[in-house]
Amino acid sequence: MSVLLSFFAAPFIVRQLGDSAYGVWVLMASVAGYLGLLDLGVRGAITRHIARFSARHEDLAASRTATGALQLFMVLGVLSVVVSSGLALGAVDRFSIPVEYHDAARIVLVLIGFNVGVSLIAGTYAGIVCSCNRLDLANLVDTVIAVIRTGTT
């Protein structure tokens, strides 16, 4: 669904922003992609381990796994905000971004950090939902989020 939405949204965004601003937009989206690497495969591990513990009726172990993952993702979420804020303060000037877009790029970088942080924390819950074999719910939530993101864009 995300690919389909992006396919139709991209021409609209280019027309609205213009070539230079769209280039800045794509650069900021690339930064978001790199910050997404902070997941470190933990979401997949949550799915695997909670499913295994649930099948064995080891509820305490499943709970500890979920709690540990949530704590880790909270730390990584804060790290995402710190890294994006640091990039906003120090790196925007080093990119080949037109000067008139520097302030907007800084704001977008900080917002990206918050977005990635929230997504990491939500990844704990998404992993739990997937571990219960409720991929229908996980896909529904992903679709709704993609539609909302595209609409707000």
Side-chain angles (χ1 to χ4, degrees):
M1 179 57 106
S2 294
V3 172
L4 185 63
L5 289 171
S6 297
F7 180 75
F8 289 108
F12 174 78
I13 294 170
V14 171
R15 269 194 315 274
Q16 295 299 315
L17 294 179
D19 293 339
S20 295
Y22 183 71
V24 173
W25 175 277
V26 171
L27 177 64
M28 297 304 112
S30 299
V31 171
Y34 285 116
L35 287 175
L37 293 174
L38 288 173
D39 176 84
L40 303 173
V42 173
R43 181 177 167 179
I46 293 168
T47 302
R48 179 188 185 281
H49 290 291
I50 291 182
R52 187 181 70 189
F53 292 138
S54 180
R56 295 180 182 170
H57 302 289
E58 297 176 9
D59 296 334
L60 183 59
S63 177
R64 286 183 180 158
T65 300
T67 301
L70 183 60
Q71 291 171 343
L72 176 63
F73 276 149
M74 285 182 176
V75 170
L76 292 173
V78 169
L79 179 63
S80 171
V81 173
V82 168
V83 167
S84 67
S85 298
L87 288 172
L89 291 174
V92 169
D93 297 332
R94 298 183 191 274
F95 292 130
S96 296
I97 297 174
V99 177
E100 63 267 19
Y101 297 123
H102 280 200
D103 291 338
R106 286 186 182 96
I107 292 168
V108 169
L109 275 171
V110 172
L111 290 174
I112 284 171
F114 278 103
N115 183 28
V116 170
V118 169
S119 296
L120 288 171
I121 293 168
T124 302
Y125 301 106
I128 292 169
V129 169
C130 290
S131 73
C132 298
N133 275 334
R134 292 305 310 261
L135 299 177
D136 57 330
L137 291 177
N139 288 331
L140 176 65
V141 169
D142 287 344
T143 300
V144 169
I145 289 172
V147 168
I148 290 171
R149 279 188 180 156
T150 302
T152 55
T153 298

